[in-house]
């Protein structure tokens, strides 16, 4: 079978290789992968900006979907032909995260989905809702579960609240759709007017171009009559500005750090958050760190998505031959929502 292997750090060390088709162990399932999707973390791993103890070579991509193709002797959760998608941390099934549960990432500790067959623990898989195509299911893994965990499982969003999403990447496009699903009003930012127009079509009430309005926090305050928003799905890491446009008692989900690192700089991530403690105090700010979600959250999310026919925003689909181009598109940030890779050959979502 074919697999894309990161052999050493650096994009030039991503190679398409022939590997033997892996056999599942007693508690594992082999998936014939139909589609994969990329995340910002794939670029961070390539640039050695993720886990200093990352083993190499590794097959990247935490997101994917396909059919069960072989089962280990102890597996009862699935049968041959079931459509499945992996959760991110394979050992985090329910409850709170622990370090032991956490150290089981697909596309990190386990080889990921940029290969024709993938073997994973049966417990680390979810059944894919029938209404989603393989590409859509692949697009609805890490980013979707992260947005769901932030807004719904931990954030308890409710109708009438105002939610700020930042940029139009994978996490933010799911956050927009999940916030709307719960009756919230969404304010969206982006560097690109065309993407903001699409965000409005998806239900964003107000949009702000953060390139043109460098002080987007003030624009957010203006859009809320000076009150501030109830919840910020923060993928940027500019905590100072987020705090400044939060209503008193509001919630910030700390998710990403797009504004903190230059992915091609080769340097270590800079996690310096400079929010003034006085402003944080005066606004009674609540923050919650989000690190994807346990399987039980993925399952509730898929049920909600199916009940409401939520389709992921897919910016671009690349063929399996074009994985380096797909990663380059992710690095440029040219697409909106998810970038997918078709392994079965289907190029339409
Ligand atoms: N904690 C977790 O569990 C978790 C899970 C998933 C992702 N993450 C993190 O969350 C972040 C976003 O992930 P993703 O997969 O959604 O990324 P993505 O799909 O690559 O989207 C990135 C988008 O962020 C926007 N952006 C970039 N720099 C920005 C800035 N300075 N200000 C505002 N927006 C900016 C851009 O939107 P426009 O093109 O519209 O400007 C860009 O397209 C990353 O840092 C990732 O590592 C964390």
């Amino acid at each position: 079978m074919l697999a894309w292997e990161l052999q050493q750090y650096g994009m030039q060390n991503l190679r398409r290789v022939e590997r033997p088709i892996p056999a599942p162990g007693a508690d594992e399932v082999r998936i014939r992968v139909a589609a994969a999707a990329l995340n910002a973390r794939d670029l961070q791993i390539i640039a050695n900006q993720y886990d200093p103890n990352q083993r190499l070579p590794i097959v990247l991509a935490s997101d994917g979907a396909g059919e069960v193709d072989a089962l280990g002797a102890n597996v009862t959760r699935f049968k041959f032909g079931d459509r499945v998608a992996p959760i991110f941390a394979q050992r985090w099934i329910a409850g709170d995260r622990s370090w032991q549960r956490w150290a089981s990432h697909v596309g990190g500790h386990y080889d990921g989905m940029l290969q024709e067959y993938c073997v994973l623990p049966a417990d680390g898989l979810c059944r894919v809702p029938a209404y989603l195509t393989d590409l859509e299911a692949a697009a609805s893994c890490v980013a979707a579960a992260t947005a769901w965990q932030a807004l719904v499982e931990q954030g308890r969003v409710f109708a009438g609240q105002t939610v700020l999403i930042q940029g139009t990447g994978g996490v933010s496009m799911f956050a927009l759709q999940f916030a709307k699903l719960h009756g919230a009003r969404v304010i969206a930012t982006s560097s690109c007017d065309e993407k903001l127009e699409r965000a409005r079509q998806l239900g964003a009430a107000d949009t702000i171009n953060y390139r043109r309005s460098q002080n987007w926090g003030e624009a957010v305050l203006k859009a809320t009559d000076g009150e501030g928003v109830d919840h910020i799905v923060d993928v940027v890491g500019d905590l100072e500005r987020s705090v400044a446009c939060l209503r008193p008692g509001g919630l910030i989900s700390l998710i990403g750090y797009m504004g903190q690192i230059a992915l091609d700089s080769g340097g270590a991530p800079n996690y310096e958050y400079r929010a003034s403690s006085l402003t944080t105090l005066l606004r009674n700010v609540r923050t919650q760190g989000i690190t994807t979600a346990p399987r039980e959250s993925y399952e509730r999310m898929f049920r909600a998505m199916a009940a409401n026919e939520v389709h992921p925003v897919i910016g671009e689909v690349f063929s399996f031959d074009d994985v380096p181009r797909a990663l380059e598109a992710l690095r440029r940030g040219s697409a909106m929502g998810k970038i997918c890779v078709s392994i079965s050959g289907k190029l339409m979502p």
Side-chain angles (χ1 to χ4, degrees):
M1 68 157 188
L2 293 172
W4 281 94
E5 215 176 65
L6 182 68
Q7 300 182 330
Q8 291 296 324
Y9 295 118
M11 195 73 96
Q12 71 281 11
N13 296 313
L14 188 70
R15 301 267 154 71
R16 195 162 69 156
V17 297
E18 187 72 47
R19 284 183 164 193
I21 295 179
D27 299 309
E28 293 177 329
V29 158
R30 183 171 69 210
I31 306 157
R32 186 155 58 83
V33 184
L38 304 179
N39 284 293
R41 75 182 285 284
D42 296 313
L43 293 174
Q44 293 156 17
I45 292 175
I46 291 171
N48 190 13
Q49 291 182 333
Y50 195 79
D51 176 358
N53 300 316
Q54 177 61 57
R55 73 172 169 86
L56 294 173
I58 178 77
V59 176
L60 293 171
S62 317
D63 297 354
E67 274 183 15
V68 171
D69 165 78
L71 301 108
N74 299 338
V75 177
T76 52
R77 290 189 69 226
F78 298 106
K79 61 180 188 325
F80 183 84
D82 281 348
R83 289 171 74 230
V84 292
I87 60 171
F88 177 60
Q90 289 282 291
R91 286 196 292 269
W92 190 15
I93 306 302
D96 289 337
R97 203 194 67 166
S98 68
W99 292 116
Q100 196 273 342
R101 289 171 171 178
W102 182 240
S104 55
H105 303 171
V106 176
H109 300 92
Y110 290 89
D111 277 330
M113 306 303 283
L114 284 174
Q115 51 183 339
E116 290 178 304
Y117 293 87
C118 182
V119 165
L120 289 170
D123 282 347
L125 302 174
C126 291
R127 217 170 283 280
V128 165
Y131 82 100
L132 290 176
T133 65
D134 291 331
L135 283 162
E136 287 178 325
S140 305
C141 296
V142 166
T146 301
W148 178 263
Q149 187 75 6
L151 278 171
V152 183
E153 302 279 342
Q154 293 183 214
R156 302 286 172 204
V157 64
F158 56 83
Q161 286 192 315
T162 302
V163 173
L164 173 67
I165 60 157
Q166 301 174 318
T168 57
V171 173
S172 301
M173 288 301 89
F174 278 106
L176 193 169
Q177 295 189 82
F178 293 153
K180 290 298 297 175
L181 202 62
H182 288 78
R185 173 185 169 217
V186 174
I187 301 177
T189 70
S190 174
S191 56
C192 166
D193 288 339
E194 287 77 35
K195 292 180 177 180
L196 288 175
E197 173 54 34
R198 181 82 200 287
R200 278 194 291 276
Q201 287 164 11
L202 287 165
D206 292 277
T207 53
I208 297 160
N209 186 316
Y210 65 80
R211 282 262 157 77
R212 260 205 318 278
S213 310
Q214 293 259 326
N215 200 346
W216 50 262
E218 268 176 22
V220 172
L221 278 178
K222 205 166 150 208
T224 54
D225 296 329
E227 274 299 309
V229 296
D230 294 284
H231 191 156
I232 301 177
V233 181
D234 193 330
V235 298
V236 173
D238 185 347
L239 192 55
E240 191 162 24
R241 210 162 291 184
S242 283
V243 166
C245 61
L246 194 70
R247 77 155 171 80
L251 177 63
I252 303 176
S253 286
L254 298 170
I255 292 175
Y257 29 85
M258 295 304 300
Q260 303 283 314
I261 54 173
L263 284 170
D264 50 2
S265 70
N270 170 12
Y271 298 104
E272 184 195 3
Y273 290 135
R274 291 168 302 146
S276 131
S277 57
L278 183 60
T279 318
T280 310
L281 179 155
L282 287 174
R283 290 190 186 251
N284 311 142
V285 172
R286 293 174 299 136
T287 60
Q288 55 177 14
I290 300 292
T291 49
T292 66
R295 192 185 78 203
E296 61 176 358
S297 298
Y298 277 75
E299 287 167 344
R300 285 191 284 264
M301 172 192 81
F302 278 135
R303 277 202 294 279
M305 285 178 67
N308 294 279
E309 295 240 354
V310 174
H311 291 271
V313 176
I314 296 182
E316 220 171 333
V317 180
F318 289 83
S319 75
F320 194 49
D321 293 340
D322 275 341
V323 166
R325 277 185 54 224
L327 286 160
E328 179 51 28
L330 181 69
R331 196 187 62 75
R332 278 201 317 273
S334 48
M336 188 165 165
K338 296 299 298 180
I339 291 185
C340 295
V341 174
S342 172
I343 300 175
S344 67
K346 288 191 189 123
L347 289 172
M348 294 298 286

